[in-house]
Amino acid sequence: MSLLLGCIADDFTGATDLAGNLVRAGMRTVQLIGVPAPGDPVPDADAVVVALKSRTAPVAEAVADSLASARWLRAAGAPQLYFKVCSTFDSTPAGNIGPVALALADLVGAAIVPVTPAFPEAGRTVFQGHLFVGSQLLSDSPMRQHPLTPMTDANLVRVLQAQLPAGVRVDLVDHRTVAAGAPAIAAGLDALAGAEGAGCRFAVVDTVDDDALRRLAAAAQGLPLVVAGSGLAIGIPALHGLAPGAAASALPPAAGAAAIVSGSCSAATQAQVARFLDGGGAAFAVDPLSIAAGDDVAAQALDWATPRLGDAPLLVYATAAPEAVQRVQAQLGAAEAGALVEATLACIAAGLVQRGVGRLVVAGGETSGACVQALGITRLRIGPQIAPGVPWCHAASALRSQGLHLALKSGNFGRQDFFRDAFGALVQ
Ligand code: ADP
């Protein structure tokens, strides 16, 4: 069966977020890490999400990677492309949302492309073309101070227009049209694409709640390209006759020892590690200064772990309180400390899997990236959700012939009992 939807996400955790929404709404989904090569086999799935690192990459690289992914997805049979951007529309006047969206629109011959980063469940809504984060305009939210993509204008029509060449126009389909239903939205999009709105290729669509997203998904069903946050995904599976259910999130039965590798120092992860230690779980602390001093900390951790591997999860962690992290960073430099710890934890994750771990939780976004790379993983089948934004996945790995169950948790996700919840949620 060929694909129903081909998605290109501009970062890794955004890809997982989108994939999770598709699975919850009933689509069997596989996430590919990086641009697939022309001969790569098409997974047996309804939707494929290609995870790129294009959000803050140089524009030309972001466009080239996105186009290569789009060609692969189209060759795999995807009738519609979904360019997944951040729900806070993270970008700069140079891009990369505008240039990538335009290149994709040209590739698929899209006359008009609806655009909405809305994700009401997470407090992101679009009204009169303006993006709100909770009750605040985007430009009044902490996003105005983002180190790489400060968002100082909440008017998405203006923000996107500034990223496009002169002559490519952005307009708005407003909330009144959206409230009137899918046919009205479709007519509104057609009108903008037609003579009246000559030159209009992109339409920001007001989306203040999940119903608005569902109406927009229906209106866009025949269009070859949509640009959206992960929210729009909730409306797409039903259009293909798919409904939420266990079949979409089914993974092979889990097997093997259980382990957690944590390199996140975010508040939520600190609380989760503290809860694990309080509960008497077996844990090994990785000391960055010891790595810097030349000790083979990975070997020490693996020697400690090997006799303890089994059904009860063990924890290897570098997670530390802000004061401790600052002390380490003052001695080693923040980037150097981060790289040392990531490399060590990735080596430990790979060693654990070689020694029989088949159920692995990794805490930390960057840490997850390093571990996935060390495990030689290039595709993840997305399974049931443990906590919002964190599903269990199943992946083939060169280090374990029967594959591996993996949960990649970005820092601030999950409640305090996340580690217990995670292993409790996995069917063996
Ligand atoms: P999060 O998702 O919480 O941001 P990341 O893994 O993305 O977590 O980032 C955490 C960073 O902090 C990583 O680069 C990691 O190597 C680094 N790190 C982890 N523990 C320590 C520590 N004790 N001292 C200094 N840096 C650390």
Side-chain angles (χ1 to χ4, degrees), residues 29-408:
T29 305
V30 170
Q31 180 173 332
L32 306 184
I33 299 162
V35 182
D40 282 358
V42 180
D44 173 28
D46 303 314
V48 165
V49 181
V50 178
L52 298 180
K53 270 180 135 176
S54 57
R55 185 170 295 170
T56 53
V59 177
E61 186 184 318
V63 167
D65 285 355
S66 304
L67 282 175
S69 305
R71 287 195 186 97
W72 189 92
L73 289 164
R74 299 224 329 149
Q80 185 175 54
L81 294 184
Y82 187 129
F83 173 32
K84 155 71 174 73
V85 299
C86 185
S87 67
T88 44
F89 218 69
D90 296 9
S91 51
T92 71
N96 290 340
I97 296 175
V100 169
L102 182 59
L104 293 175
D106 287 344
L107 178 78
V108 300
I112 185 80
V113 179
V115 179
T116 179
F119 192 10
E121 196 183 327
R124 274 56 156 167
T125 54
V126 180
F127 182 69
Q128 297 289 16
H130 288 66
L131 178 57
F132 287 81
V133 178
S135 59
Q136 287 182 314
L137 278 170
L138 174 68
S139 47
D140 292 331
S141 79
M143 277 308 298
R144 65 175 295 109
Q145 282 150 347
H146 190 281
L148 301 177
T149 51
M151 300 303 292
T152 54
D153 187 358
N155 182 331
L156 297 182
V157 174
R158 211 159 43 204
V159 169
L160 185 55
Q161 187 70 74
Q163 298 177 19
L164 291 164
V168 178
R169 217 160 56 71
V170 185
D171 212 320
L172 174 70
V173 173
D174 79 3
H175 64 103
R176 280 172 303 234
T177 308
V178 174
I185 301 172
L189 291 168
D190 276 352
L192 287 178
E196 261 179 73
C200 181
R201 295 288 295 283
F202 296 94
V204 172
V205 183
D206 279 350
T207 31
V208 295
D209 53 25
D210 285 354
D211 281 343
L213 286 170
R214 288 197 184 90
R215 286 194 284 269
L216 172 57
Q221 192 176 7
L223 300 181
L225 175 66
V226 296
V227 176
S230 64
L232 188 65
I234 64 167
I236 295 178
L239 302 170
H240 297 278
L242 299 168
S249 63
L251 298 179
I260 304 155
V261 171
S262 178
S264 158
C265 298
S266 299
T269 310
Q270 286 193 55
Q272 289 154 0
V273 167
R275 174 60 62 90
F276 183 90
L277 298 176
D278 286 350
F284 182 97
V286 168
D287 175 6
L289 296 178
S290 174
I291 309 173
D295 294 346
D296 192 347
V297 176
Q300 291 166 8
L302 290 169
D303 285 346
W304 169 87
T306 305
R308 293 177 172 81
L309 289 175
D311 214 29
L314 56 79
L315 167 69
V316 178
Y317 67 104
T319 305
E323 314 78 64
V325 173
Q326 275 159 19
R327 267 198 309 277
V328 167
Q329 290 181 336
Q331 286 200 38
L332 304 178
E336 175 70 7
L340 275 181
V341 172
E342 281 168 37
T344 303
L345 292 180
C347 180
I348 293 168
L352 288 171
V353 170
Q354 280 166 325
R355 287 163 178 73
V357 166
R359 294 171 286 150
L360 180 66
V361 171
V362 183
E366 296 298 328
T367 309
S368 291
C371 289
V372 160
Q373 203 171 15
L375 291 165
I377 288 171
T378 56
R379 48 180 67 190
L380 298 162
R381 181 168 293 277
I382 308 295
Q385 177 171 284
I386 306 163
V390 198
W392 271 112
C393 307
H394 185 264
S397 164
L399 303 183
R400 187 176 158 86
S401 59
Q402 63 272 54
L404 173 73
H405 285 74
L406 198 61
L408 306 170

